Amino acid sequence: MKYIVIFCALISLFLILTGVYFYIQDNLIYNKLFGFGTIGLFFITFPLFLFWRRNKFDRNKYIWNNEERENLKQNKKTEERNSGF
């Protein structure tokens, strides 16, 4: 999956850079190359990257449960006592 994402990103960047080259040369095909490169980058490469990285992401670190909320409240109370406010 990693190589597919890298390949799609390189193809998209190649199309965009080729569009820049044709824009400098005043060729009318540069619009299509910009468009296909952008579509490839945003609608193919980014979703593939997000799908690839989704499995390596640990969501449980960011889910709050009641124990963590109570610990946070207790920590705030002890900090208020120690700070003198």
Side-chain angles (χ1 to χ4, degrees):
M1 188 67 156
K2 178 171 95 171
Y3 297 113
I4 294 171
V5 171
I6 292 171
F7 179 73
C8 289
L10 289 176
I11 292 296
S12 297
L13 290 175
F14 175 75
L15 287 172
I16 291 171
L17 292 175
T18 307
V20 170
Y21 173 75
F22 282 126
Y23 179 74
I24 293 170
Q25 298 297 323
D26 291 330
N27 197 338
L28 297 177
I29 198 167
Y30 73 91
N31 283 332
K32 291 185 181 186
L33 293 174
F34 279 146
F36 286 130
T38 305
I39 287 172
L41 194 63
F42 289 105
F43 292 118
I44 296 172
T45 305
F46 286 165
L48 283 175
F49 174 77
L50 293 173
F51 179 75
W52 168 52
R53 295 295 295 177
R54 175 180 61 124
N55 297 331
K56 297 179 182 181
F57 181 69
D58 186 21
R59 291 179 188 90
N60 292 330
K61 291 191 298 187
Y62 303 102
I63 296 175
W64 283 41
N65 53 23
N66 289 332
E67 295 173 2
E68 292 176 356
R69 289 181 186 150
E70 292 173 5
N71 289 338
L72 183 63
K73 288 178 184 178
Q74 289 175 356
N75 289 339
K76 284 184 180 180
K77 288 179 184 178
T78 57
E79 287 177 5
E80 288 175 0
R81 289 181 199 152
N82 293 337
S83 65
F85 288 109

